[in-house]
């Protein structure tokens, strides 16, 4: 063992073998997520202490093979070759052992001690599969430990084996036999490589890969000094062998034969009859019912997100409103108060209130992934996609895009065909990521919440994203990315009940990333938008608003004095009873009303078009009708003055914000977006959300908060409902625009890195902008024709 006290373990396995569950069982919260050096493949590490040893686990990308066909495969094997973990833990699905052993055949060639974590033993037992663990270990040259990862059974036994040097240090890896025709060449090339003395890779594995003409390995060996003779020798050997064997398939065939032999020698009973997963699949993957069931599940998920999330969202919205009110009273400086209340609390707080909806969405996505249904969704959609010339496997990255576009784009590397991979990258940004959800739910709450159709509207937006993504992929596959199409081959894992720990951990990981974005990027964007909205300070107003407000106050006092004079009273202070009634009226008007529209005015003062008085006035009238009748005209004069002052405040705020830097930007692009029903405020939001879609919400919140009177702050939903520039048609058009608009900065960076082309990035962004504009235009004007413009 290279390190006695600290053991490094590489965790490898096929997708859906339960590797992540075992990793979570062992490491718990002690995990770190980053990227492997030089690539955008996610790197997950975790550690635990056991038996006096510090165990550090590296969770490799799930893969079926270790060839050079995809980046995931290259990264997985390079970690083992370059970082030289002390032990490889190969997680195998006991219920699908033969398929899993193909990867095991490649892992044993890498020259590191192997421990087999034979997972899903409960499912194998239900299927009637019986495995000789000792014989399987002998076939692979490994220690085999049975586990049931979903129930955390066998985890301790696995750690005991890993931490015990006596169980692993004498392991001798099995060798894949490449037959009488090839083995002499493997041995000759191995000896030649050994003589160079400069290779740090597993020598036999390297010889096999050179004979196999593995592009990644050949490129690395060519880059080494003094290795040209080895390259030439391998090339000569391939020429000698090409007439004897089919070099394109032979090595994979030998590994497959090794896997079949290991399976046949170690499996005592293979089981028979349908499993529970088979019975469930007859319904959920039914040729006719499968897709309707999938769509129904999606609709139920989005309806639950809207309906369940509305409660905690309202609580958080109220909490941030209370925080803003408290800070308004604590911070004396006007500019600092506006920055904190309007910029930080108004901007970030408006986005944070949507976190519960995002958490709930991630919860449901985690359930779909961990139960095994997500793989079925790809299988179902494959029929539709294949009919259009697409690859069914592309649907998995697209579904991952529901959480975040970045991992959705990176998941495209699992496709072996380069054209399929590029098409998937171009389609992924049209899937509604979690960052778009706050925009959707804000507009749904403002214009569709009362109708009870919020979940249906949200489902429709997500479905539109899927349809557009597929149509875009179809067009690209038949034009820009023409080429051969590969068959869809994908393993469907057995259904299983996900552990609460795994679901919560997946949900937490994704939610934390969103919270970090809200606490950093969105905070910065909110402050910038506040600055653009609040400045410049030296605004040229159409009138002296301070003097105008003072004049309104003076006129009210004169008019009230005239009323009092008619009563024979010099001032309110001279009549305690009348003054008390007047103050009670003001207090009743400011108090929350229990009933709307209740009238309590006296016969003398009720005009034909006079609005209803607050509900509390009825009780005041009953207490003392005569004094109530005297106080009511005074109250009416105060209400009229307050209304006039409010209009002056609104006019002043409107003139100030209309001359702000933000308005200048918004008015500059307003002529372009006006056909979509968008005004300058949405224009500022469109510019800002180019960086991150959530910033649309914080931008609108900041603009309305700065524009509003400090004494009359509302939540963002109310602002939108009261804004004459907004209506359901505009709301739908803005949702469609947000769905199709170009991806965020982080996604752009990944697209550039995955395609290694600025041209591809600009092409994708241009396509997104055109589609967003055209479909938003159609949505807006179509909605107007349907009567949604009011």
């Amino acid at each position: 063992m290279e390190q006695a006290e600290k053991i490094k373990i590489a965790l490898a396995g096929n997708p859906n073998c339960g590797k992540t569950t075992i990793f979570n069982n062992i490491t718990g919260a002690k995990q770190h997520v980053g990227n492997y050096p030089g690539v955008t493949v996610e790197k997950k590490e975790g550690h635990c202490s056991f038996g006096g040893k510090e165990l550090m686990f590296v969770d490799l990308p799930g893969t079926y093979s270790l060839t050079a066909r995809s980046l995931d495969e290259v990264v997985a094997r390079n970690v083992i070759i370059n970082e030289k973990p002390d032990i490889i833990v190969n997680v195998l699905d006991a219920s699908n052992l033969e398929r899993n052993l193909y990867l095991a055949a490649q892992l044993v060639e890498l020259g590191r001690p192997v421990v087999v974590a034979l997972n899903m033993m409960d499912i194998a037992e239900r299927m009637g599969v019986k495995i000789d663990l000792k014989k399987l270990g002998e076939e692979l040259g490994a220690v085999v430990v049975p586990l049931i990862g979903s129930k955390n059974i066998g985890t301790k036994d696995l750690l005991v084996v890993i931490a015990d040097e006596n169980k692993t240090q004498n392991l001798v890896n099995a060798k894949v036999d490449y037959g009488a025709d090839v083995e002499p060449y493997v041995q000759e090339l191995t000896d030649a490589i050994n003589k160079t003395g400069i290779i740090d890779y597993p020598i036999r594995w390297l010889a096999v890969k050179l004979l196999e003409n593995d592009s990644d390995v050949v490129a690395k060996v060519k880059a080494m000094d003094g290795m040209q003779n080895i390259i030439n020798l391998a090339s000569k050997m391939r020429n000698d062998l090409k007439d004897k064997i089919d070099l394109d398939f032979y090595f994979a065939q030998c590994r497959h034969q090794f896997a079949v032999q290991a399976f046949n020698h170690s499996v005592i009973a293979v089981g028979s009859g349908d499993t529970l997963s088979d019975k469930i699949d007859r319904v959920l993957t039914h040729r006719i019912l499968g897709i309707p069931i999938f769509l129904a599940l999606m609709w139920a998920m989005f309806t639950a997100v809207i309906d369940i999330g509305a409660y905690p969202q309202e609580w958080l919205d109220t909490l941030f409103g209370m925080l803003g009110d408290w800070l308004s009273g604590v911070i004396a400086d006007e500019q600092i108060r506006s920055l904190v209340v309007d910029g930080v609390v108004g901007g970030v707080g408006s986005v944070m209130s949507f976190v519960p909806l995002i958490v709930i969405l991630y919860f449901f996505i985690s359930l779909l992934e961990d139960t095994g249904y997500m793989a079925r969704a790809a299988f179902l959609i494959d029929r539709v996609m294949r009919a259009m010339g697409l690859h069914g496997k592309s649907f998995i990255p697209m579904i991952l895009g529901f959480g975040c576009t970045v991992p959705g784009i990176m998941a495209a590397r699992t496709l072996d065909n380069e054209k399929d991979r590029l098409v998937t990258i171009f389609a992924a940004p049209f899937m509604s990521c979690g960052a778009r959800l706050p925009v959707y739910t804000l507009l749904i709450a403002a214009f569709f919440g009362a109708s009870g159709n919020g979940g249906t509207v949200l489902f429709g937006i997500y479905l539109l994203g899927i349809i557009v993504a597929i149509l875009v992929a179809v067009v690209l596959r038949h034009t820009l990315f023409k080429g051969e199409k590969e068959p869809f081959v994908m393993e469907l894992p057995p259904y299983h009940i996900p552990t609460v720990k795994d679901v919560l951990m997946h949900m937490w990981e994704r939610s934390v990333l969103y919270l970090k974005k809200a606490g950093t990027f969105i905070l910065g964007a909110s402050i910038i938008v506040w600055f653009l909205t609040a400045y410049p300070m030296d605004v040229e107003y159409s009138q002296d608003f301070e003097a105008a407000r003072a004049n309104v106050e003076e006129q009210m006092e004169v008019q009230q004095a005239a009323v009092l004079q008619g009563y024979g009273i010099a001032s309110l202070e001279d009549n305690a009873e009348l003054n008390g009634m007047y103050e009670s009226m003001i207090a009743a008007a400011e108090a929350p009303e229990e009933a709307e529209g209740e009238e309590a005015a006296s016969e003398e003062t009720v005009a034909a078009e006079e609005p209803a008085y607050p509900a509390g006035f009825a009780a005041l009238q009953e207490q003392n009708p005569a004094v109530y009748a005297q106080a009511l005209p005074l109250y009416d004069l105060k209400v009229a003055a307050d209304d006039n002052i409010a209009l002056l405040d609104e006019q002043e705020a409107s003139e100030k914000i209309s001359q702000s830097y933000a308005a200048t930007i918004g008015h500059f692009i307003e002529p372009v977006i006006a056909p979509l029903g968008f005004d300058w405020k949405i224009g500022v939001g469109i510019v800002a959300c180019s960086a991150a879609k959530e910033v649309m919400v914080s931008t609108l919140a900041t603009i309305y908060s700065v524009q509003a009177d400090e004494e009359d702050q509302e939540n963002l939903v109310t602002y939108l409902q009261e804004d004459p520039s907004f209506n359901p048609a505009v709301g739908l058009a803005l949702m469609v625009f947000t769905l199709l608009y170009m991806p965020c900065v982080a996604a752009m960076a990944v697209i550039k890195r995955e395609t290694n082309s600025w041209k591809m990035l600009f092409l994708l962004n241009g396509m997104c902008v055109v589609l967003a504009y055209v479909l938003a235009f159609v949505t807006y004007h179509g909605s107007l024709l349907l009567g949604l413009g009011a």
Side-chain angles (χ1 to χ4, degrees):
M1 195 68 64
E2 294 179 6
Q3 291 184 347
E5 296 304 316
K6 187 172 183 179
I7 303 175
K8 186 172 185 177
I9 304 103
L11 204 60
N14 289 175
N16 303 308
C17 68
K19 180 168 60 71
T20 300
T21 299
I22 293 172
F23 179 74
N24 291 337
N25 289 343
I26 294 173
T27 62
K30 298 177 181 178
Q31 299 178 7
H32 171 73
V33 179
N35 285 334
Y36 290 104
V39 291
T40 53
V41 180
E42 186 180 86
K43 178 181 185 179
K44 187 179 287 187
E45 294 181 350
H47 65 273
C48 74
S49 298
F50 188 86
K53 307 284 179 64
E54 184 70 20
L55 308 181
M56 201 275 278
F57 288 82
V58 179
D59 188 14
L60 300 178
T63 178
Y64 295 105
S65 176
L66 293 179
T67 63
R69 289 181 301 177
S70 70
L71 186 56
D72 276 350
E73 295 173 348
V74 173
V75 166
R77 77 182 189 190
N78 284 352
V79 169
I80 297 172
I81 294 168
N82 298 328
E83 298 185 17
K84 292 184 171 56
D86 299 300
I87 296 171
I88 300 173
V89 172
N90 182 199
V91 181
L92 300 180
D93 177 1
S95 65
N96 194 13
L97 186 58
E98 184 174 352
R99 176 71 180 84
N100 280 225
L101 283 170
Y102 183 73
L103 177 64
Q106 296 171 79
L107 289 172
V108 297
E109 291 186 294
L110 295 177
R112 311 306 297 168
V114 175
V115 173
V116 170
L118 194 58
N119 193 28
M120 302 185 187
M121 290 296 292
D122 54 337
I123 297 174
E125 185 176 342
R126 286 200 299 269
M127 293 170 60
V129 176
K130 295 182 180 180
I131 303 169
D132 186 332
L133 303 182
K134 183 178 179 182
K135 186 63 177 176
L136 179 60
E138 291 173 355
E139 291 291 322
L140 299 176
V143 181
V144 180
V145 181
L147 293 98
I148 305 176
S150 60
K151 299 177 182 178
N152 203 12
I153 296 175
T155 305
K156 184 177 179 181
D157 296 335
L158 177 63
L159 293 175
V160 167
V161 171
I162 292 171
D164 189 349
E165 295 181 13
N166 294 325
K167 293 182 181 294
T168 57
Q169 65 180 354
N170 295 322
L171 288 175
V172 178
N173 296 43
K175 287 186 178 180
V176 177
D177 185 358
Y178 290 103
D181 289 332
V182 176
E183 278 294 339
Y185 289 96
V186 172
Q187 188 58 51
E188 181 183 348
L189 191 54
T190 299
D191 294 340
I193 295 171
N194 258 323
K195 290 177 182 178
T196 65
I198 59 174
I199 295 297
D200 201 26
Y201 294 157
I203 304 300
R204 176 179 168 85
W205 172 85
L206 183 61
V208 171
K209 284 297 171 183
L210 289 175
L211 290 174
E212 197 176 353
N213 201 25
D214 184 293
S215 58
D216 180 66
V217 172
V218 171
K220 287 178 178 177
V221 174
K222 280 184 177 180
M224 299 177 185
D225 293 333
M227 293 297 291
Q228 189 57 47
N229 61 322
I230 299 296
I231 294 293
N232 295 338
L233 178 59
S235 178
K236 179 180 178 301
M237 290 179 172
R238 285 198 303 273
N239 285 330
D240 292 344
L241 287 169
K242 67 181 181 181
D243 295 329
K244 301 178 182 178
I245 60 174
D246 187 342
L247 287 169
D248 291 333
F249 299 99
Y250 182 79
F251 293 94
Q253 181 182 349
C254 290
R255 295 187 190 105
H256 179 67
Q257 289 173 349
F258 174 89
V260 171
Q261 179 177 307
F263 176 83
N264 290 336
H265 289 176
S266 57
V267 174
I268 302 168
V270 296
S272 60
D274 288 347
T275 64
L276 178 61
S277 289
D278 294 330
K279 295 174 182 176
I280 296 174
D281 275 340
R282 285 201 190 99
V283 178
L284 295 186
T285 62
H286 190 273
R287 185 173 186 82
I288 297 173
L289 299 177
I291 291 180
I293 290 173
F294 168 71
L295 294 176
L297 286 173
M298 293 295 103
W299 176 85
M301 179 175 75
F302 295 126
T303 300
V305 168
I306 289 290
D307 293 347
I308 298 173
Y311 297 102
Q313 180 188 4
E314 184 178 350
W315 301 334
L316 279 177
D317 195 53
T318 302
L319 179 64
F320 281 110
M322 294 169 60
L323 176 62
D325 293 341
W326 178 76
L327 291 171
S328 294
V330 171
I331 303 173
D333 185 273
E334 181 182 353
Q335 289 302 301
I336 296 177
R337 180 171 63 248
S338 178
L339 168 62
V340 175
V341 176
D342 300 330
V344 177
V345 177
V348 178
S350 63
V351 175
M352 292 293 287
S353 66
F354 292 95
V355 167
L357 287 86
I358 291 168
V359 170
I360 294 169
L361 176 64
Y362 286 159
F363 170 78
F364 283 118
I365 291 176
S366 296
L367 277 180
L368 293 176
E369 290 177 344
D370 292 354
T371 56
Y373 183 73
M374 194 70 86
R376 269 78 181 177
F379 172 76
L380 288 168
I381 301 299
D382 171 61
R383 290 204 304 269
V384 177
M385 298 179 76
R386 188 171 57 232
M388 299 178 181
L390 302 176
H391 200 288
K393 233 178 178 181
S394 299
F395 192 67
I396 292 291
M398 290 163 66
I399 285 289
L400 291 177
F402 279 166
C404 179
T405 304
V406 170
I409 293 168
M410 293 194 298
R413 64 170 63 97
T414 59
L415 290 122
D416 298 333
N417 186 297
E418 180 68 10
K419 299 290 178 66
D420 286 330
R421 190 177 74 86
L422 290 173
V423 166
T424 304
I425 289 173
F426 269 67
F430 296 109
M431 308 301 286
S432 287
C433 64
R436 294 176 170 99
L437 186 60
V439 182
Y440 301 156
T441 49
L442 168 68
L443 297 169
I444 287 171
F447 303 111
F448 303 99
S451 66
N453 296 321
T456 302
V457 173
L458 185 62
F459 169 70
I461 288 292
Y462 273 77
L463 183 61
L464 176 63
I466 295 174
I467 293 171
V468 171
I470 291 176
L471 292 178
V472 165
V474 169
V475 173
L476 291 175
R477 199 65 175 89
H478 290 84
T479 54
L480 191 61
F481 301 120
K482 285 182 178 179
E484 291 295 322
K485 302 171 185 65
E486 296 191 3
F488 177 52
V489 179
M490 184 176 184
E491 176 185 343
L492 296 182
Y495 289 103
H496 59 273
I497 299 174
T499 65
V500 174
K501 179 180 178 182
D502 281 347
V503 171
L504 293 179
M505 187 168 291
H506 292 159
M507 181 181 71
W508 174 249
E509 287 174 352
R510 292 162 173 164
S511 300
V512 165
L513 292 176
Y514 183 84
L515 289 171
K516 286 179 179 178
K517 189 193 292 187
T520 54
F521 186 84
I522 296 174
L523 173 62
S526 297
I527 292 173
I528 292 172
V529 171
W530 169 83
F531 173 81
L532 294 174
T533 307
Y535 284 84
M537 300 298 294
D538 53 340
V539 175
E540 294 184 8
Y541 293 109
S542 62
Q543 61 176 303
D544 187 340
F545 285 100
E546 282 296 327
R549 281 188 285 266
N551 184 49
V552 171
E553 291 277 0
E554 290 173 6
Q555 288 181 7
M556 179 195 71
E557 292 171 1
V558 170
Q559 291 169 337
Q560 284 185 336
V563 173
L564 291 171
Q565 188 176 1
Y567 298 153
I569 302 172
S571 69
L572 273 173
E573 286 73 17
D574 294 339
N575 191 311
E577 191 175 27
L578 180 58
N579 188 40
M581 179 63 74
Y582 178 70
E583 295 292 343
S584 297
M585 286 179 169
I586 295 173
E590 293 176 350
E593 295 186 19
E594 296 181 3
E596 295 284 340
E598 210 178 311
E599 296 193 12
S602 64
E603 295 292 333
E604 301 89 347
T605 57
V606 177
E609 297 182 0
E610 191 169 347
Y613 289 108
F617 277 32
L620 295 176
Q621 185 179 23
E622 289 178 5
Q623 291 174 11
N624 196 329
V627 176
Y628 175 86
Q630 289 181 322
L632 197 59
L634 300 174
Y635 171 80
D636 287 339
L637 290 170
K638 183 181 188 310
V639 169
D642 288 345
D643 288 344
N644 287 333
I645 289 173
L647 287 174
L648 289 169
D649 290 340
E650 185 178 333
Q651 185 181 350
E652 181 182 24
S654 179
E655 288 186 19
K656 184 178 188 305
I657 203 166
S658 68
Q659 298 179 56
S660 66
Y661 298 129
T664 302
I665 296 171
H667 287 304
F668 178 75
I669 66 172
E670 190 172 27
V672 178
I673 60 176
L676 311 181
F678 299 166
D679 67 355
W680 71 267
K681 293 186 287 293
I682 298 178
V684 176
I686 289 173
V687 173
C689 80
S690 300
K693 297 298 175 284
E694 311 98 318
V695 178
M696 172 68 77
V697 175
S698 61
T699 298
L700 293 175
T702 302
I703 291 174
Y704 282 111
S705 185
V706 171
Q707 183 174 326
D709 182 80
E710 286 187 14
E711 303 299 324
D712 191 29
Q713 292 282 337
E714 303 281 357
N715 62 41
L716 185 52
V717 169
T718 304
Y719 284 136
L720 294 180
Q721 291 171 336
E722 294 177 350
D723 188 341
S725 301
F726 262 98
N727 55 51
V730 174
L732 282 175
L734 185 53
M735 280 189 269
V736 171
F737 192 92
T738 303
L739 164 69
L740 304 175
Y741 192 44
M742 59 187 184
C744 66
V745 171
M748 288 186 205
V750 173
I751 291 169
K752 164 61 176 68
R753 195 163 187 176
E754 292 291 310
T755 62
N756 195 30
S757 168
W758 286 107
K759 178 183 176 182
M760 291 290 184
L761 177 60
F762 291 139
L763 177 63
L764 174 59
N765 284 341
M767 182 175 62
C768 288
V769 172
V770 170
L771 282 173
Y773 192 93
V774 171
L775 290 184
F777 179 89
V778 171
T779 301
Y780 175 65
H781 291 280
S783 299
L784 291 179
L785 292 174
L786 294 174
L788 296 177

